[in-house]
């Protein structure tokens, strides 16, 4: 009887001898070339054109359905949004019913997580940044034609002449005395000016203090201003008042005299804010006449109305910044 022998294949195990037959080693470049394209199987990167077509077809259908679903959801969401007013306002909103205060210039533009305004009054390079930032902030006040609607709906308002429907009150930069661009906003004279505004909350209407119900914690100097203002003009009672002072006892000693332009508050006819095109928040320029040099002064400005809640921690109804004016020390022999 004729005996046959079986030759084991490469990469297989010969069970008779129980030895593994090692496959033929191919050069590295050949293996790389076959991984990219294998002429025997016609595969490219491990897949034949048929398999690549199935994969591409799957992802084409998958992402088309995903894009369609996203578009449908966005269209449905946009139908629920009113472009003229937020869906949730006042008590229902995250902003709440107590506005804070904003101020310019702000150091955060030049240094993150800092509210320190520091400069050397005698150095133009030190003051130019703050002056330029104020100029940039006031540009829309100086050029109302750049506002939405080209400023055509601006109206001169008063307490007896509130804005008409579709109009907004204009705000002219007059009566600011030394807080002007011509005077460098006082920075080169160590009398810096800060522009304070009340942050906008849609639909918020201030509740005003009368001279007989001023809160005990209100500064005495502001109480005198309110009483004097109401005596000369009773309609001025409709004002959100403003006070700025040092935050702590030492800051109060260092801050020096404070002046307000054009008046120490925001006229009530600018409220409520209704997102009308061209609206500009009223401003108060606060000038520190003679702050102490070479020390950091913590400044706190606070708005006063019955429905403005004051919380120093969350800066409700207030704003906080630090001021430091460096003065070169002169050594005399």
């Amino acid at each position: 009887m004729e005996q046959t022998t079986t030759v084991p294949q490469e990469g297989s195990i010969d069970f008779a001898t129980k030895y593994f037959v090692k496959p033929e080693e191919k050069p590295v470049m050949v293996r790389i070339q076959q991984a990219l394209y294998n002429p025997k199987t016609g595969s490219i990167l491990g897949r034949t054109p048929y398999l690549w077509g199935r994969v591409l077809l799957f992802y084409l259908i998958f992402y088309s359905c995903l894009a369609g679903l996203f578009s449908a959801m966005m269209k449905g969401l946009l139908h629920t949004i009113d472009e003229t007013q937020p869906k949730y306002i006042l008590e229902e909103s995250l902003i709440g019913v107590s506005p804070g205060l904003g101020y310019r210039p702000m150091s955060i533009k030049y240094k993150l997580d800092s509210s320190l305004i520091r400069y050397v009054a005698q150095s133009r390079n030190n003051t130019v940044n703050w002056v330029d930032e104020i100029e940039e902030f006031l540009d829309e006040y100086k050029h109302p034609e750049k506002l939405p609607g080209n400023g055509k709906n601006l109206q001169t308002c008063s307490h007896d002449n509130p804005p008409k429907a579709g109009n907004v009150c204009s705000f002219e930069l007059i009566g600011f005395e030394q807080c002007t661009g011509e005077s460098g906003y006082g920075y080169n004279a160590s009398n810096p000016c800060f522009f304070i505004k009340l942050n906008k909350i849609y639909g918020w209407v201030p509740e005003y203090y009368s001279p007989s119900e001023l809160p005990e914690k209100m500064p005495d100097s502001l109480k005198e201003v309110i009483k004097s203002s109401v005596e000369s003009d009773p309609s001025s009672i409709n004002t959100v008042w403003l006070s700025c002072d040092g935050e702590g006892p030492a800051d109060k000693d260092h801050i020096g005299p404070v002046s307000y332009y054009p008046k120490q508050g925001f006229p009530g006819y600018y409220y409520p804010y209704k997102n009308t095109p061209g609206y500009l928040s009223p401003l108060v320029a606060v000038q520190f006449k003679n702050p102490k040099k070479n020390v950091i002064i913590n400044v706190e400005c606070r708005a006063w109305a019955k429905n403005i809640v004051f919380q120093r921690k969350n800066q409700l109804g207030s704003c906080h910044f630090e001021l430091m004016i460096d003065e070169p020390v002169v050594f005399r022999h």
Side-chain angles (χ1 to χ4, degrees), residues 153-333:
N153 62 335
L154 294 180
Q155 171 189 334
T156 301
C157 301
S158 66
H159 293 288
D160 299 324
N161 183 33
K164 300 177 182 178
N167 285 0
V168 292
C169 294
S170 61
F171 187 87
E172 298 181 1
L173 298 176
I174 57 176
F176 283 87
E177 297 192 16
Q178 298 180 14
C179 293
T180 62
E182 292 75 15
S183 61
Y185 302 104
Y187 280 80
N188 55 359
S190 301
N191 301 322
C193 296
F194 287 80
F195 288 82
I196 312 295
K197 66 183 185 71
L198 199 63
N199 293 337
K200 293 178 285 190
I201 295 182
Y202 187 93
W204 179 79
V205 179
E207 297 176 7
Y208 310 105
Y209 284 115
S210 66
S212 60
E213 55 183 1
L214 299 179
E216 182 180 351
K217 293 185 178 180
M218 179 181 284
D220 293 335
S221 59
L222 178 56
K223 292 179 180 179
E224 294 300 324
V225 169
I226 295 175
K227 293 176 181 179
S228 174
S229 178
V230 173
E231 286 178 3
S232 60
D233 180 12
S235 65
S236 66
I237 193 62
N238 300 321
T239 300
V240 179
W241 302 99
L242 176 71
S243 64
C244 293
D245 203 352
E247 193 169 87
D251 303 310
K252 295 179 186 295
D253 292 337
H254 296 157
I255 198 169
V258 182
S259 296
Y260 304 86
Y261 310 109
K263 63 180 297 184
Q264 197 172 343
F266 310 100
Y269 46 78
Y270 285 93
Y271 309 100
Y273 168 68
K274 290 291 188 179
N275 197 27
T276 308
Y279 177 86
L280 290 173
S281 298
L283 302 175
V284 175
V286 181
Q287 185 175 32
F288 304 101
K289 291 289 189 176
N290 188 28
K292 189 172 182 179
K293 312 302 187 296
N294 300 319
V295 296
I296 295 178
I297 304 173
N298 294 282
V299 181
E300 182 178 71
C301 293
R302 180 175 173 181
W304 296 89
K306 288 183 181 180
N307 55 343
I308 293 182
V309 178
F310 171 69
Q311 286 185 8
R312 179 172 293 172
K313 181 179 179 181
N314 299 322
Q315 293 191 10
L316 289 179
S318 65
C319 66
H320 166 91
F321 56 89
E322 299 92 40
L323 173 64
M324 184 174 185
I325 303 177
D326 292 324
E327 189 173 55
V329 178
V330 179
F331 294 97
R332 296 182 178 178
H333 297 283

Side-chain angles (χ1 to χ4, degrees), residues 12-181:
S12 65
I13 299 177
D14 183 359
F15 290 98
T17 60
K18 296 183 179 181
Y19 288 109
F20 179 76
V21 180
K22 187 177 181 180
E24 178 184 356
E25 288 286 346
K26 298 178 181 179
V28 175
M29 293 304 299
V30 174
R31 281 183 285 170
I32 294 176
Q33 183 179 358
Q34 289 184 351
L36 297 174
Y37 174 72
N38 191 332
K40 291 183 179 180
T41 60
S43 63
I44 302 172
L45 296 176
R47 286 191 175 93
T48 63
Y50 172 74
L51 292 177
W52 275 118
R54 289 175 56 183
V55 171
L56 293 176
L57 180 62
F58 167 78
Y59 280 107
L60 178 63
I61 296 174
F62 174 75
Y63 283 113
S64 296
C65 294
L66 194 63
L69 179 62
F70 176 78
S71 300
M73 293 180 66
M74 284 298 297
K75 188 173 182 179
L77 175 64
L78 292 175
H79 273 297
T80 67
I81 297 177
D82 189 342
E83 295 184 358
T84 60
Q85 71 176 63
K87 183 175 182 179
Y88 302 104
I89 60 175
L90 300 176
E91 293 88 351
E92 298 178 350
S93 69
L94 293 176
I95 298 177
V97 295
S98 188
L101 291 174
Y103 66 93
R104 292 295 187 281
M106 296 180 65
S107 60
I108 195 171
K109 181 177 180 180
Y110 306 102
K111 186 177 181 181
L112 295 178
D113 300 326
S114 174
S115 55
L116 174 63
I117 310 297
R118 182 178 183 179
Y119 67 97
V120 179
Q122 290 82 357
S123 172
R124 185 183 182 280
N125 292 334
N126 273 204
T127 61
V128 68
N129 287 338
W130 310 119
V131 173
D132 288 347
E133 186 179 348
I134 293 176
E135 288 284 358
E136 181 180 348
F137 171 67
L138 296 179
D139 183 65
E140 60 185 1
Y141 289 87
K142 295 179 179 180
H143 304 284
E145 68 276 5
K146 297 181 180 180
L147 296 170
N150 299 320
K152 294 180 179 179
N153 62 335
L154 294 180
Q155 171 189 334
T156 301
C157 301
S158 66
H159 293 288
D160 299 324
N161 183 33
K164 300 177 182 178
N167 285 0
V168 292
C169 294
S170 61
F171 187 87
E172 298 181 1
L173 298 176
I174 57 176
F176 283 87
E177 297 192 16
Q178 298 180 14
C179 293
T180 62

